[in-house]
Each structure stands twice: as structure tokens, then as C-alpha cells.
Amino acid sequence: MKKIFLLFTILSILSSCNDEDFDINRDPDSLSADGVGLSVELPSGIVGLAGAQGSYYALVGGFWSQYWTQSNASNQYKDVDEYSIGTNDYQNGWTAMYDALGDIRNVKKLAYQQENWNYYLIATTLEVQASQIMADFYDQIPYTEANNREILTPKFNTGQEVYDLMVSDMKDALSKDLSTSMGDNPGNDDFVFAGNMANWKAYANTLLLKLYLRQTEARPSIANAGITELLTSGVVFLNTDAALTQFENAPNRSNPLFESDRRQLNTQTNLRASTTMFSFFTENSDTRKSKFYEVGNALNQGDFNSLVAPTSIAVVHLEATTPVYFMSKEESLFLQAEALERYSAGAGAKEKYDAGVMAAFSKFGLSGASYVASSGAYEYPTAGTFNDKLKAIITQKWASGFPGNGFEMFFEQNRTGFPLISAVPQTDVAYVPGQFAYSVNGTTGGIFPKRMVFPNNVKTRNPNCPTLETVKIPVWWDAN
């Protein structure tokens, strides 16, 4: 796969800042790690994370959450769609994410030394954001020894260890009294919230909630205790988007997925509408369908050898200015809805669910009011079983992750089993719209992917890299 952009977009966005204290002529990577200013290195870390998450992993996530499928008129992403990603694929994704973590962890280290608790909370939250994605894709990753200039071959922590460390780090950062923070305050260098620390604290709380919910099947007692503590302590959860929004419709300044798939490839029609999401929207007369896909029909998942005329298959709609969401408002609301159903007897869950659906429609300038109303297509199953309610929550979370957060929906499908997996191919009249379908050209014997494999540049350079596992092996929290 072609090397996806990162550096030019970082430099372009950094150059658009007007903060007098932010000297864009100083490349953070060329400075002493101990001498770089917090306001200089933080933007590089934020944009680096957005570039890695929003291009490499967003692309894979969109295939494996079945938002899109490979066109039958080209072959750019066949390896992803047929589940044959190997050690030579997505090496740059791993490198880009750990480059971003290098900046983020240096900000965290310096902020701790300076007792600058504002930057410390921001950096820790971003560190956990990036590490959670990597741990959920690869299971074992470097964490305790990662991004240490004195350790060239860091050890890999197990996935369970990484989760325990992330929870501990998140709690530590949240425990700091921000009113006693020393030194400069974040401002224009904070591309996410422009220094609004109440939003950062809410985002951190919600990220902690996600870490606990991800463990509901593997370690239910730990999930129960952690989420109950959050709910009873009255913490504030995120009620806005944690996102990078500064993209422009210009080369090297646009959304990473748009930039990599639309500007930098020879064809701009690789990604086509998957029958899975397309049929779900069609079945429910969901007005978002025209926002996700151009005019046309859908292609069955992985059917890139189809003889259907490519011109009849809808191209996925991407925009240059779409934000990269570290966590969207609707994801936060759906996380809260699930937590309330599991650990608070459902009190308030419907309200959070309804608000999440409404927010997901609002992203595209649409109203979701009729869908959550009585007898609406997405009415909350108040009288249903817990599984009925979980299915509704996770299904709407899945529908809300387009285009860049499909990896989160891939993780959630592996954790919860929703959307359900179809027992028949999508060509069968018994196929249920919206159910996941095994790739027509799948190479894993009917088993859906559960992880990514370690890239070759990690395996060959670090003797501590664990034994390679195939994409069929679940990560530690996946009990399905």
C-alpha cells in the first residue's frame, strides 16, 4: 500500500496557527526532547495522532466494520477486504502512531516535571487514546518502555497489562488539581478544545468509561466496579466532540482519509458502498444514506471480482473538511447509555440513547427525531431484554462511526456480537439487512478478523516482539 501522508499535513496545520508563542519555524523533532516547549510539541502530537488514526486505521476500520468494500474496478485494498493483511502491510501506520506518541509522551513527562497539570491531563488523555487503539488492534504493545530514548527495543506489555496501565494513568491525571497547575496554560496550541480544561476532564472521564466497558466480557467484576464508581461519583462525561476540525479542501491540508484515498491514489473510486450498511439504511429509510454514499447500488462485502458494472455501484462519499473525531458526542452518549443499562438499572439510558441518535443525524444536517419517536425505526426497546437494548445501542453506535471511526465499531462488534453476523451470504433472500457478512473472497475460512498482525518493521527490529498471531486470534478482552 502507498505510504499515506502525514508530515505535510502536520506542517500545514501547524503553519496555520497564529499563537504568538508558537514558533512554527522550530521543528519539534529537531529539538532536544527536554528543551522543547509544551506549546510547541503538543500540536505535533495531536496532529500526528489524528493522521495515524484518521488514515491508516480509519481505512481498515471502514472495511472491517463494513461501511465500505473494495471496488470491482480496482484492487488497492483487496488485502484488507479479504482479511489477508500481513507483516508487510500498514508498517507506516504503526510508525506514525508511535511517532505521535513520542511527542505526546514527552509533553506528559515535561508537564509532570513542571507540575503543569493542565498539559499533563491533556497528554495523558491523548496517550491513552492512541494506546487504546493500538492495544485493541494488536493486543500486546510497548507501553511502559515505549518512546524511551534509552530503550531501543522496548518490551511488549500484554493487552491486559496495557489496560490496567491506561486506567491507572488516566486516574492519576484526573486526580491532579488543575487549579494548582504551574506554568503556561494551553490555548491555540490545543487543537481539540483550545485550552478548555472542563472539556478535557470530561473527555478523560469518558475515555475511562470506555476502557471499563471494553472489559465487560473478559473481566466483568473490574468493569462493574470501575463503572459503578464513575456513575456514583457524579463525574461529568463528554457532551461535545473531541475532534481535530482545522482541515481545508487543499492538498496536504485535508482530512487524512480523504487525503490518502482521494488525493494521493490514481483512482478515487476504490471505496464502494457495502451491502451491509447500505441495506440497513435502505431498510430503515435512513436519510443518512445519501450522505454516506453517492448515487448507485451496493456491492456485497468483499465481492471485488463481481461482474456488475462498476458505474452502477455507489462510491463512498468523503469530504476534505470532515473532522477527525478522537471521541464524538454521540459515542460518549452511547457509552453512557450502555453503562446505565448495565449498572444503573437502565435509569436514564433511553435519554442518552435518543440523544446519541439525534447527535449522529445532526452531524449531517439531518434530524433524527422521527427515528427515535414512538414506532420510529430506531425507537429504544424500553420493554425489551437487556440484549435488545444493547443491540439497539451498539447498532446505532455502529451507524454513527462513519467515516473515520469504523475501527471502534469493529472493536465493539467483536466485544458484543452486535451487529449480528449473518448465517447466509448477502445474495441469499434470507439475508437480514445490516448483519455482518463474511467477505465473498475471504481467506480465513469463514472466520472474521479479530486483530491486526505485527508489521515487519517491528518484528525484525525488536527481539521483544511477541510471536506473530493471525488475524483470526481474538485480543484478550474478546470473549465472543
Side-chain angles (χ1 to χ4, degrees):
M1 180 179 178
K2 290 181 66 177
K3 183 176 181 180
I4 299 178
F5 91 110
L6 183 59
L7 179 59
F8 290 143
T9 293
I10 291 175
L11 295 178
S12 295
I13 294 180
L14 294 185
S15 67
S16 69
C17 295
N18 295 317
D19 189 344
E20 293 180 358
D21 296 326
F22 184 43
D23 181 1
I24 62 172
N25 294 313
R26 300 169 67 208
D27 177 5
D29 290 335
S30 69
L31 301 174
S32 165
D34 294 327
V36 66
L38 299 178
S39 63
V40 174
E41 194 159 23
L42 177 64
S44 184
I46 292 173
V47 179
L49 169 54
Q53 170 187 318
S55 55
Y56 303 97
Y57 297 113
L59 183 69
V60 175
F63 277 103
W64 288 358
S65 61
Q66 305 200 359
Y67 294 159
W68 50 66
T69 190
Q70 168 63 49
S71 171
N72 61 340
S74 54
N75 58 14
Q76 184 72 27
Y77 307 121
K78 284 184 178 180
D79 57 343
V80 187
D81 214 1
E82 67 183 11
Y83 317 141
S84 63
I85 288 181
T87 58
N88 290 324
D89 300 308
Y90 296 92
Q91 298 183 73
N92 293 322
W94 178 286
T95 300
M97 189 66 90
Y98 273 97
D99 280 350
L101 276 167
D103 289 319
I104 291 165
R105 284 179 164 136
N106 197 51
V107 170
K108 178 183 175 181
K109 181 188 75 171
L110 296 177
Y112 182 82
Q113 292 172 354
Q114 299 169 22
E115 298 185 20
N116 191 319
W117 304 133
N118 290 329
Y119 278 98
Y120 185 70
L121 176 61
I122 291 173
T124 303
T125 305
L126 294 172
E127 175 188 37
V128 171
Q129 169 75 25
S131 299
Q132 174 249 308
I133 294 171
M134 299 301 278
D136 288 350
F137 262 129
Y138 298 97
D139 199 13
Q140 301 180 66
I141 61 169
Y143 191 88
T144 55
E145 294 184 355
N147 303 112
N148 186 327
R149 289 172 292 165
E150 298 179 358
I151 302 176
L152 299 180
T153 56
K155 75 174 185 179
F156 280 62
N157 295 98
T158 67
Q160 185 169 312
E161 287 173 344
V162 172
Y163 260 72
D164 288 341
L165 290 162
M166 290 192 295
V167 167
S168 178
D169 286 349
M170 202 79 271
K171 284 186 171 182
D172 176 63
L174 282 165
S175 73
K176 305 302 183 186
D177 183 353
L178 300 186
S179 68
T180 66
S181 181
M182 306 291 288
D184 295 336
N185 292 318
N188 290 343
D189 57 308
D190 170 10
F191 292 163
V192 182
F193 294 128
N196 186 322
M197 295 311 299
N199 282 344
W200 275 107
K201 196 165 186 177
Y203 173 23
N205 286 329
T206 315
L207 192 52
L208 185 57
L209 176 63
K210 181 195 286 190
L211 296 179
Y212 283 129
L213 279 170
R214 196 61 44 89
Q215 302 179 67
T216 53
E217 309 306 309
R219 296 200 292 184
S221 61
I222 288 178
N224 186 338
I227 295 171
T228 300
E229 180 183 5
L230 284 172
L231 295 177
T232 58
S233 64
V235 301
V236 176
F237 295 111
L238 192 65
N239 196 39
T240 188
D241 296 322
L244 189 66
T245 62
Q246 292 88 342
F247 300 110
E248 302 173 10
N249 188 7
N252 300 317
R253 300 177 71 90
S254 55
N255 171 279
L257 182 58
F258 181 92
E259 186 74 19
S260 60
D261 182 70
R262 297 300 155 89
R263 286 198 207 278
Q264 297 195 1
L265 295 184
N266 294 326
T267 176
Q268 286 75 49
T269 61
N270 280 291
L271 303 182
R272 301 296 180 114
S274 168
T275 293
T276 310
M277 178 64 82
F278 192 93
S279 67
F280 176 77
F281 279 170
T282 301
E283 178 75 7
N284 292 290
S285 300
D286 194 312
T287 52
R288 288 175 291 184
K289 185 170 77 171
S290 63
K291 303 293 186 177
F292 285 28
Y293 309 113
E294 307 293 350
V295 176
N297 301 311
L299 186 65
N300 292 338
Q301 190 68 40
D303 194 14
F304 47 71
N305 292 325
S306 171
L307 298 179
V308 174
T311 54
S312 70
I313 305 169
V315 175
V316 170
H317 182 77
L318 298 178
E319 293 189 359
T321 57
T322 297
V324 169
Y325 296 97
F326 296 141
M327 181 177 288
S328 67
K329 176 181 178 179
E330 52 268 31
E331 182 184 0
S332 172
L333 289 163
F334 290 132
L335 288 168
Q336 293 173 66
E338 181 183 348
L340 292 169
E341 279 296 352
R342 286 183 181 273
Y343 305 109
S344 192
K350 178 185 184 305
E351 289 72 21
K352 297 297 184 184
Y353 168 87
D354 287 354
V357 175
M358 296 281 282
F361 274 83
S362 180
K363 278 281 193 303
F364 298 94
L366 303 170
S367 173
S370 63
Y371 293 89
V372 297
S374 178
S375 300
Y378 304 143
E379 179 185 7
Y380 193 65
T382 305
T385 65
F386 170 75
N387 270 349
D388 292 334
K389 296 169 183 175
L390 182 63
K391 178 182 178 182
I393 293 167
I394 301 301
T395 299
Q396 288 306 312
K397 185 188 291 188
W398 168 63
S400 75
F402 178 93
N405 291 73
F407 54 85
E408 276 298 320
M409 311 314 141
F410 164 67
F411 302 148
E412 290 291 66
Q413 201 287 327
N414 281 333
R415 176 178 70 95
T416 67
F418 297 118
L420 294 171
I421 291 176
S422 178
V424 299
Q426 291 177 323
T427 53
D428 196 303
V429 293
Y431 172 73
V432 177
Q435 290 191 349
F436 274 32
Y438 185 74
S439 172
V440 171
N441 286 288
T443 60
T444 53
I447 299 174
F448 284 76
K450 296 291 188 177
R451 66 162 71 209
M452 291 183 72
V453 299
F454 294 119
N456 191 53
N457 58 348
V458 176
K459 184 63 180 175
T460 57
R461 296 175 186 175
N462 189 347
N464 293 317
C465 184
T467 302
L468 290 179
E469 301 282 8
T470 71
V471 298
K472 299 187 291 184
I473 304 301
V475 297
W476 75 275
W477 49 254
D478 182 359
N480 284 302

